[in-house]
Amino acid sequence: MTDTKNNNGKSTVSRVLISGGGTGGHIFPALSIANAVKRRYPDADILFVGALGRMEMERVPAAGYPIEGLLVAGFDRKRLWRNFGVLFKLWKSLRKARRIVRDFKPDIAIGVGGYASGPVLKQAQKQGVPTLLQEQNSYAGVTNKILAKKAKAICVAYDGMERFFPADVIVKTGNPVRSDLEECTLTQAEAKKKLGFDEDKPLVMAVGGSLGARTVNEAIAASLPLLADKDVNLLWQTGRYGEKEFQAKAKDYANVKATTFISDMATAYRAADLVVSRAGAGTISELQNLAKACILIPSPNVAEDHQRHNAEALSTRGGAVMILDADAVAALPATLAGLIDNPEKRAALSAEISKMALKNADSKIVDKITEILKINPGR
């Protein structure tokens, strides 16, 4: 790729292709990278490619970026006969991805994981476009392991990733997180008051993703009497699938505010004394950067059981408490009680998880893009 010159005669990035999505854990890092590129190179054109019908098709345009959609889906590992349709979608996606890369002519293509990243990054590599992978998890996915062979850089958040990738292209940047989370200037007392909670009482925040996590919701429901007895407040994101059943349970408790989706996560994080969550890589990076004591309940329904690996990377170092999904309903009430009654333990968890934080990941990734493209930043 030849460098493009701006009006000052300095090299710059002209076109960036970003592909991936499917969950907030992929979309938020992708948008963070895009925003960091625009801060460094304001004139850069950025095009996203996602999977039709997935949440990126709404979230990315809402953030101000154009997106193309591919008709692509994941393989059904339990019912193999259903994969004939998946293979047809993959074939169509590869054809469309080839056209997108050819017409957009990106300087670099970035894959953040998710169904669409495979076809797009594969076609970019075939057409000689430099590629950068952003692997959020401590256990790499199949797609990134395949794409790694020709990637110029693989940005990771955990040690030991040479198990999956060539060591010479690994860069430990951390995972990009939403900038508004760290920019919140409220004190914890102010944040609690803004959310309608008593600033002098402990606050537990429970989240299971935008759709909700049934086990997390059931475990929280089992903990409601204990939280009421201990006069502890609860901010409970039930998710879309749990809004009727679990929000109905919450109405019996004055100390609980249950909502389908927490729109102001910056304030919610600032207010929380303890967080109960799944163990997606993006969420873990947020917890690390914000130094939040947490209980992680990894989802067993993810590829390569990567959420358990993510949670273990913290729990084995004293940075989180992990409860396996199968044990959550029975174990969460007692675990909550132990942490609520032990502020010293919460402080220790907060201190340890903070040590694992890798901040400014989005800027470090743009640094790597600049290096790959041999751009002179003019500093």
Side-chain angles (χ1 to χ4, degrees):
M1 277 283 165
T2 57
D3 290 340
T4 307
K5 301 287 183 178
N6 64 20
N7 291 333
N8 297 321
K10 299 172 185 174
S11 298
T12 187
V13 176
S14 293
R15 291 172 296 279
V16 177
L17 189 63
I18 302 177
S19 184
T23 67
H26 291 134
I27 296 166
F28 293 134
L31 289 172
S32 294
I33 294 169
N35 292 337
V37 169
K38 291 295 282 187
R39 286 196 300 271
R40 187 86 58 90
Y41 302 106
D43 295 330
D45 289 329
I46 298 175
L47 175 65
F48 281 77
V49 182
L52 288 170
R54 306 291 290 193
M55 61 190 295
E56 59 264 27
M57 301 307 295
E58 296 179 4
R59 296 288 179 87
V60 170
Y65 294 103
I67 187 168
E68 294 261 10
L70 301 184
L71 185 66
V72 64
F75 281 92
D76 191 327
R77 302 184 186 197
K78 295 181 180 178
R79 293 161 292 190
L80 296 178
W81 65 88
R82 294 193 172 188
N83 289 320
F84 289 107
V86 173
L87 289 170
F88 176 70
K89 290 179 180 179
L90 178 60
W91 176 76
K92 291 197 72 172
S93 295
L94 284 167
R95 287 187 52 151
K96 186 171 182 180
R98 182 168 64 245
R99 178 185 60 76
I100 291 170
V101 174
R102 183 193 67 218
D103 293 349
F104 185 62
K105 296 181 175 62
D107 297 326
I108 192 165
I110 301 168
V112 297
Y115 295 142
S117 64
V120 173
L121 272 289
K122 194 70 177 174
Q123 290 301 322
Q125 290 175 346
K126 282 187 174 182
Q127 295 185 39
V129 177
T131 56
L132 179 148
L133 306 179
Q134 204 266 316
E135 174 57 64
Q136 292 112 27
N137 295 295
S138 62
Y139 197 92
V142 173
T143 300
N144 274 354
K145 284 190 279 190
I146 294 171
L147 294 169
K149 297 171 186 176
K150 294 184 178 180
K152 296 294 184 182
I154 304 168
C155 297
V156 304
Y158 295 91
D159 293 325
M161 297 305 287
E162 62 273 6
R163 292 176 294 159
F164 311 109
F165 304 131
D168 60 336
V169 293
I170 294 174
V171 186
K172 191 176 179 184
T173 59
N175 289 326
V177 301
R178 293 169 280 184
S179 59
D180 63 304
L181 301 182
E182 296 178 287
E183 292 168 357
C184 180
T185 59
L186 297 174
T187 65
Q188 186 177 45
E190 289 169 341
K192 287 180 179 179
K193 188 175 180 180
K194 182 178 178 181
L195 294 171
F197 292 107
D198 188 326
E199 60 193 65
D200 296 320
K201 294 180 181 179
L203 174 64
V204 174
M205 178 173 74
V207 291
S210 58
L211 296 179
R214 182 156 195 89
T215 301
V216 174
N217 281 336
E218 289 177 343
I220 290 295
S223 304
L224 291 176
L226 175 141
L227 294 173
D229 288 345
K230 290 188 173 294
D231 205 18
V232 172
N233 289 323
L234 171 67
L235 177 59
W236 185 5
Q237 179 179 291
T238 63
R240 193 183 310 158
Y241 292 157
E243 60 185 355
K244 290 184 180 179
E245 177 184 354
F246 294 103
Q247 289 179 31
K249 294 178 186 292
K251 289 179 180 177
D252 295 332
Y253 296 88
N255 63 317
V256 178
K257 292 184 184 295
T259 181
T260 304
F261 187 74
I262 299 172
S263 57
D264 186 358
M265 281 298 294
T267 299
Y269 269 128
R270 185 57 56 94
D273 294 281
L274 181 63
V275 178
V276 180
S277 174
R278 284 301 201 195
T283 297
I284 285 180
S285 294
E286 292 171 356
L287 293 167
Q288 289 172 330
N289 285 12
L290 300 173
K292 286 295 168 181
C294 60
I295 299 170
L296 300 175
I297 305 173
S299 171
N301 306 312
V302 293
E304 286 85 35
D305 201 19
H306 67 253
Q307 285 204 9
R308 181 176 62 82
H309 294 286
N310 292 346
E312 285 177 341
L314 273 64
S315 64
T316 56
R317 294 173 54 188
V321 174
M322 182 180 77
I323 303 175
L324 294 179
D325 188 87
D327 303 327
V329 175
L332 183 62
T335 305
L336 278 172
L339 289 173
I340 289 165
D341 293 338
N342 192 342
E344 293 80 12
K345 174 63 174 175
R346 296 201 307 270
L349 288 170
S350 173
E352 289 304 314
I353 198 171
S354 179
K355 292 177 185 176
M356 303 176 202
L358 294 168
K359 298 194 174 185
N360 302 314
D362 53 357
S363 181
K364 293 173 186 174
I365 291 170
V366 178
D367 288 342
K368 194 63 189 178
I369 292 170
T370 298
E371 179 186 324
I372 290 169
L373 298 180
K374 297 180 172 60
I375 289 172
N376 176 8
R379 295 173 187 162

